[in-house]
Amino acid sequence: MTKPSLRPETLAEILPIMAEAMATQQPLAIVGANTKSAIGYAVADATLVQLDRWTGVLDYQPEELVLTARAGTPMAEINDLLETNHQMLAFEPPDPRPLFGGDHQGTLGGVLASNASGPRRLTAGAARDFLLGFEAASGRGERFRAGGKVVKNVTGYDLSKLMVGSFGTLALMDEVTLKTLPRPETAISLTFPAADFSAAQNMISAIFATPYEASAAAILPSDMAAKAGLSGDMQVVIRLEGFAVSVADRAEHLLKAFDQGEKRDETESRRLWQDIRDTHLLADEDADIWKISCAPSSGAEVIASLMAEMTAADKSCPYYADWAGGLIWMAAPQYTSAGGNFGDMMREVVAQHGGGFAMRVRTADTNQGLNPHVVPPFQPLDAGRLALHQRIKAAFDPIGILNPGRMHQGI
Amino acid sequence: MQMPEPDASVIARREAILTSLRKIVPAASVVDSEEGRRAYDADGLSAYRQLPLVVVLPETVQQVSDIMRYCHREGIKVVPRGSGTSLSGGALPLADAVLLAMGKFNRILDIDYANRCVVAQPGVTNLAITHAVEDEGFYYAPDPSSQIACSVGGNVAENSGGVHCLKYGLTTNNLLGVEMVTMEGEVVRLGGKHLDAGDYDLLGIMTGSEGLLGVITEVSLRILQKPATRRALLVGFDETATAAQAVGDIIAAGIIPAGMEMMDHLAINAAEDFVHAGYPRDAAALLIIELDGPEVEVDALIGRVDAIVNQAGASSIKISMTEEERMRFWAGRKAAFPAVGRISPDYLCMDGTIPRRALPDMMVRMATLSQKYGLRVANVFHAGDGNLHPLILFDANEPGELQRAEDFGADILRACVEMGGVLTGEHGVGVEKRDLMPIQFSEDDLKQQQRLKCAFDANHLLNPGKVFPQLHRCAELGRLHVHQGKMPFPDLPRF
Ligand SMILES: Cc1cc2nc3c(=O)[nH]c(=O)nc-3n(C[C@H](O)[C@H](O)[C@H](O)COP(=O)(O)OP(=O)(O)OC[C@H]3O[C@@H](n4cnc5c(N)ncnc54)[C@H](O)[C@@H]3O)c2cc1C
């Protein structure tokens, strides 16, 4: 169980805490607002360190497309500020509330540490593409900086990439600088019925081979479509964003080129993509929630193979796909009725269809902890990458005081 | 420029090393003669030259792995090289190192339109990727000016940009996966056709690592559908400050042009003399603003940008009506380097980035420095993202001029950092900016970067002497100060 929590206010304040943690080999469980603690293993016997007091926007120059803030700044504050200035974080960080509960929208640092990216990831990039630089304390208890505060920079290793998605296992980010972009003038969606997943995927490929620039593309099987307020068959949802004249023109072309399309106005479009982005459509499932990242064109085969492996009793696992089919969200019980487990099955299937990974982002079983018999939440690493991960962990956090074991054993 | 002291014992073993390498690759792929090696003695930073110990041209991943394993075991340094167009000396050979030239890795392996991805060997040129897919209406977005020559492996190693990276990103934003070989000879695959890592973003770390972390043997690149229309504006200004203001105004209006380039008076005239692109010769600054996308969008935005630059005080505005005209607008910018080459025996191309708002101050600073050093400077910028390319004009045959030009360049880069920017926007640190790193980074910052290096290459065998001004031994970097109590597991290796 976690011990009493600490909420330092400055980076300087945490250095002695880290020094003591190193001396006593006492791990620290590092969180922002603790909205995403369901992802990964719980850190055993750790002192909880909450970074939600490292708040404040330090510098924001809209026309430079750059924002510097402290990592504990609430996403709500960041989003409001950007909206006021007609800008956005283009990677569309999901709102954690639908999937993980609570009433906090998370912190900027938490979004970065988990590389949380939404539907526009397909065309605009992920959180990892928008962190320009940072200041942090490594697990060695030393302050360091990397990157810069300008949008174009190749000076030294791109440590920002390493920080994003490292779940607080390498260093504690304090000041972070992100690239912002103008918010599109308007955004609407088109929905098209599809006979099955593979027809849906072919349609999306065909749409991306036109110059009509969709910003996002999802596939909703009929049950998910119904939940999202769309009736009928499986639906392909395409979002068009940008200047109003352009969006109207592109919509017209696509509706002409592809049959049975329906236009969804700005309000409906926003709601649809929020549901897709926040995994709202699966949030009330009493099952583990999985995120599968695969080659977009493999989505159909991955789904088909999974269904083929499943017994009739399990086939009801609800799922939908974002990122043109390259991101499958699935709610699945831990064990199949045949006694196997879903995680292993998913990972095998993904490996057979061009590779990728499966990550469990939420579990229905709250007692999983470090039980080695349970399927690991993060995809196990092959030997080459595991060796590099271990050595990188040691380079930043040699004693293992920062979230040890959150991602993989010792990492 | 001080390079690491060559290891005399390695040089003494040269014959034995050649013999061993000939067992790994065909004899003809081991370049031994001085004449043969001479062709590889520099990259695009040609002021620095060094004959490599030997040049090896592998053509399979197995060969690369065997070479690395052998060199690792024998303690021999390795310098990877693509097309040798680096402007920062990243591919500069070392007297005691094997130069691993990747030119024979020149095949495109897979074109996958459904996933909008091309898988290629690292020696394929940047432009060849676009050529391979353009019939189907696709292209590869990052477009360094060197694109007919530079290799995609080199692009990954340098995280190269181009005039269109304002809207479409650098190499790192367009790269889906790589296969790499570590210094120990391990073959590791990172990424693929799927998005994101799901663990540490090693692909992100490899990109821009300047050949210090591994040898790239395969790349998977994202390709995009070509925009339906491209049009450009050619806008002259009487003052650089006004031009800089106009750039900020365009972005503040929510418009991210596909490209937004600036040239100063000297660059405008050098280009005009060379290609007669119709540039306004009397302008202090020229902007080329390109918009792409659906035709109605481009037409509408051309109108908006026209109004913005007018409002900002442009002295001349031309709008491309045909594709030929758009190409002509670009001709001068694209030929800027050779154009400057015609008016000066030699030039140094610098590459700092500044926050855009600092541009007017920077122009003033450069004029002052130009006087101080008695050397002319022509400026081309990627104005949209604040990436400067000052070209310092000098004559290498004049004693002391190269040194003066380098000092001038260093002062410009110092000013970049002082104004909130960075030393390099897209050309890399290499040997050129190596000794300036402490201007931007503290000792602790650099040590943490080197610890990452140690995780990949604990003996500093891969491309040493580049990027870091001071090489620390990994054991020393790993040492830990634990303030209270004792260090746990004192004999475990730490990095
Ligand atoms: C005229 C001219 C214009 C240019 N314009 C631009 C521009 O607009 N934008 C821009 O960003 N750059 C530009 N450059 C710089 C240069 O072209 C790029 O940095 C390019 O990516 C280098 O590629 P290369 O294949 O020539 O690599 P090299 O010069 O051969 O090597 C560059 C670095 O990459 C490493 N490397 C090469 N191949 C591999 C591999 N397979 N595995 C691991 N490491 C490897 C080398 O060790 C070295 O450190 C320009 C250069 C010239 C000469």
Side-chain angles (χ1 to χ4, degrees), chain B residues 64-192:
Chain B
V64 175
S65 168
D66 289 347
I67 294 167
M68 300 299 276
R69 213 175 285 278
Y70 164 75
C71 290
H72 182 250
R73 193 178 61 230
E74 298 289 321
I76 303 163
K77 296 168 189 146
V78 176
V79 176
R81 176 185 168 108
S83 303
T85 67
S86 162
L87 292 171
S88 54
L92 178 70
L94 301 172
D96 58 346
V98 169
L99 188 80
L100 193 70
M102 298 299 286
K104 290 195 172 181
F105 278 77
N106 57 5
R107 284 183 306 126
I108 290 179
L109 303 174
D110 178 20
I111 299 178
D112 179 348
Y113 292 112
N115 287 309
R116 297 166 291 283
C117 173
V118 170
V119 182
Q121 292 187 322
V124 172
T125 63
N126 173 292
L127 193 59
I129 304 291
T130 291
H131 281 165
V133 298
E134 65 189 352
D135 285 350
E136 295 288 324
F138 286 85
Y139 76 115
Y140 175 58
D143 57 346
S145 312
S146 51
Q147 67 182 158
I148 48 167
C150 63
S151 72
V152 289
N155 291 172
V156 172
E158 298 286 9
N159 190 15
S160 298
V163 295
H164 290 103
C165 62
L166 175 62
K167 182 168 174 186
Y168 295 104
L170 298 161
T171 303
T172 191
N173 312 110
N174 292 277
L175 179 71
L176 293 167
V178 298
E179 177 192 72
M180 61 174 264
V181 179
T182 65
M183 191 60 229
E184 289 161 337
E186 292 294 325
V187 181
V188 181
R189 297 194 71 89
L190 306 173

Side-chain angles (χ1 to χ4, degrees), chain B residues 188-247:
Chain B
V188 181
R189 297 194 71 89
L190 306 173
K193 289 178 180 173
H194 61 284
L195 296 172
D196 296 342
D199 38 60
Y200 293 162
D201 190 353
L202 303 181
L203 181 64
I205 277 296
M206 279 305 292
T207 315
S209 63
E210 304 198 25
L212 269 72
L213 300 183
V215 177
I216 294 150
T217 49
E218 185 189 292
V219 302
S220 301
L221 304 166
R222 181 177 75 142
I223 50 170
L224 297 176
Q225 179 65 29
K226 266 197 189 144
T229 320
R230 294 179 167 134
R231 290 179 72 191
L233 297 95
L234 192 67
V235 190
F237 292 88
D238 293 338
E239 279 176 53
T240 317
T242 337
Q245 181 61 43
V247 170

Side-chain angles (χ1 to χ4, degrees), chain A residues 16 19-20 22-25 59 61-65 87 115 117 121-126 128-130 138-140 142-159 161-162 164-167 169-170 179 181-183 185 204-205 208-213 241-247 249-250 291 293-298 323-324 326 354-357 359 378-379 381-382 384-385 387-396 398-399 407-408 411, chain B residues 112 114-116 138 158-159 161-162 165-168 170 172-173 175 180 182 184 188-190 193-205 207-210 212-213 222 225-228 248 251-256 292-294 296-297 300-301 304 351 353-358 382 384-385 387 420-429 437 440-441 444-445 448-453 455-456 467-468 477-489 494-495:
Chain A
E20 195 189 317
M22 280 192 282
T24 57
Q25 295 179 57
D59 189 19
Q61 310 270 346
E63 69 291 337
E64 297 281 346
L65 305 176
Q87 290 202 333
N115 193 21
S117 314
R121 194 280 168 253
L122 177 66
T123 51
R128 54 94 73 182
D129 294 289
F130 288 85
S138 73
R140 303 170 51 88
E142 292 162 356
R143 295 170 93 123
F144 71 104
R145 285 179 175 278
K149 293 184 176 178
V150 287
V151 295
K152 202 162 166 203
N153 174 21
V154 295
T155 322
Y157 297 131
D158 193 354
L159 296 185
K161 296 278 182 299
L162 192 58
V164 178
S166 65
F167 284 88
T169 61
L170 297 175
K179 179 179 175 178
L181 280 177
R183 185 176 284 275
E185 199 172 271
I204 292 175
S205 284
F208 276 96
T210 71
Y212 305 127
E213 297 177 10
E241 295 180 305
F243 296 97
V245 276
S246 168
V247 168
D249 180 67
R250 284 181 273 152
K291 165 183 172 171
S293 176
C294 60
S297 76
S298 306
W323 300 356
F357 64 89
M359 185 192 284
F378 287 87
Q379 173 114 358
L381 297 158
D382 57 45
R385 281 188 304 149
L388 287 172
H389 272 67
Q390 286 168 333
R391 286 185 277 178
I392 290 171
K393 172 75 172 172
F396 283 79
I399 296 181
M407 298 178 75
H408 302 279
I411 295 173
Chain B
D112 179 348
N115 287 309
R116 297 166 291 283
F138 286 85
E158 298 286 9
N159 190 15
C165 62
L166 175 62
K167 182 168 174 186
Y168 295 104
L170 298 161
T172 191
N173 312 110
L175 179 71
M180 61 174 264
T182 65
E184 289 161 337
V188 181
R189 297 194 71 89
L190 306 173
K193 289 178 180 173
H194 61 284
L195 296 172
D196 296 342
D199 38 60
Y200 293 162
D201 190 353
L202 303 181
L203 181 64
I205 277 296
T207 315
S209 63
E210 304 198 25
L212 269 72
L213 300 183
R222 181 177 75 142
Q225 179 65 29
K226 266 197 189 144
I251 289 175
I255 301 169
I256 303 290
D292 69 5
V296 287
E297 172 176 329
L301 292 186
R304 286 197 203 182
D351 169 50
T353 304
I354 52 171
R356 246 184 299 97
R357 63 177 178 279
H382 302 303
D385 41 33
N387 187 192
V422 298
L423 294 171
T424 170
E426 57 179 12
H427 293 169
V429 176
M437 287 289 268
Q440 188 178 331
F441 294 115
D444 278 351
D445 301 342
Q448 193 52 44
Q449 298 212 13
Q450 289 197 53
R451 286 188 193 103
L452 181 74
K453 162 76 168 167
F456 285 80
V467 182
F468 298 107
L477 287 166
R479 224 168 271 148
L480 202 58
H481 261 305
V482 178
H483 301 291
Q484 304 143 10
K486 283 203 183 107
M487 172 98 138
F489 316 113
R494 298 168 203 282
F495 299 105

Side-chain angles (χ1 to χ4, degrees), chain B residues 235 237 242 246 303-317:
Chain B
V235 190
F237 292 88
T242 337
R304 286 197 203 182
V305 171
D306 186 16
I308 292 169
V309 294
N310 234 319
Q311 181 77 27
S315 54
S316 68
I317 304 176

Side-chain angles (χ1 to χ4, degrees), chain A residues 92-393:
Chain A
E92 242 185 321
D95 182 338
R97 291 174 297 183
L99 197 55
F100 301 116
D103 54 12
H104 200 296
Q105 289 183 45
T107 62
L108 186 55
V111 163
L112 294 169
S114 59
N115 193 21
S117 314
R120 209 185 288 101
R121 194 280 168 253
L122 177 66
T123 51
R128 54 94 73 182
D129 294 289
F130 288 85
L131 180 64
L132 300 172
F134 64 91
E135 182 181 10
S138 73
R140 303 170 51 88
E142 292 162 356
R143 295 170 93 123
F144 71 104
R145 285 179 175 278
K149 293 184 176 178
V150 287
V151 295
K152 202 162 166 203
N153 174 21
V154 295
T155 322
Y157 297 131
D158 193 354
L159 296 185
S160 301
K161 296 278 182 299
L162 192 58
M163 294 308 295
V164 178
S166 65
F167 284 88
T169 61
L170 297 175
L172 305 185
M173 283 184 284
D174 181 5
E175 221 184 280
V176 293
T177 299
L178 285 99
K179 179 179 175 178
T180 63
L181 280 177
R183 185 176 284 275
E185 199 172 271
T186 187
I188 63 153
S189 291
L190 305 178
T191 56
F192 299 91
D196 56 26
F197 203 94
S198 114
Q201 227 158 22
N202 291 340
M203 185 186 300
I204 292 175
S205 284
I207 288 171
F208 276 96
T210 71
Y212 305 127
E213 297 177 10
S215 75
I219 302 170
L220 304 182
S222 55
D223 54 339
M224 293 289 113
K227 261 192 171 172
L230 307 173
S231 55
D233 302 335
M234 178 177 274
Q235 299 283 322
V236 170
V237 191
I238 298 291
R239 186 171 63 189
L240 302 174
E241 295 180 305
F243 296 97
V245 276
S246 168
V247 168
D249 180 67
R250 284 181 273 152
E252 195 181 313
H253 277 102
L254 287 175
L255 288 171
K256 228 178 268 165
F258 299 89
D259 288 344
Q260 289 181 279
E262 264 186 76
K263 199 147 128 184
R264 312 283 170 178
D265 70 9
E266 189 148 4
T267 314
E268 191 178 4
S269 175
R270 187 178 318 114
R271 194 188 45 73
L272 261 173
W273 286 102
Q274 262 172 19
D275 282 353
I276 294 167
R277 180 193 72 188
D278 302 340
T279 330
H280 200 178
L281 300 174
L282 294 175
D284 58 0
E285 297 293 334
D286 182 22
D288 290 356
I289 305 290
W290 286 85
K291 165 183 172 171
I292 302 173
S293 176
C294 60
S297 76
S298 306
E301 289 163 16
V302 166
I303 297 276
S305 304
L306 274 174
M307 295 296 161
E309 300 251 336
M310 289 181 196
T311 57
D314 301 322
K315 276 203 205 301
S316 58
C317 286
Y319 69 90
Y320 70 93
D322 194 358
W323 300 356
L327 172 66
I328 299 166
W329 290 102
M330 186 175 270
Q334 198 172 326
Y335 297 102
T336 65
S337 46
N341 73 62
F342 269 102
D344 287 348
M345 195 202 275
M346 285 178 195
R347 286 169 177 155
E348 257 165 52
V349 164
V350 169
Q352 284 159 11
H353 293 100
F357 64 89
M359 185 192 284
R360 188 180 61 225
V361 298
R362 193 183 83 179
T363 175
D365 172 4
T366 47
N367 288 323
Q368 290 194 357
L370 273 169
N371 180 352
H373 301 298
V374 171
V375 184
F378 287 87
Q379 173 114 358
L381 297 158
D382 57 45
R385 281 188 304 149
L386 179 62
L388 287 172
H389 272 67
Q390 286 168 333
R391 286 185 277 178
I392 290 171
K393 172 75 172 172

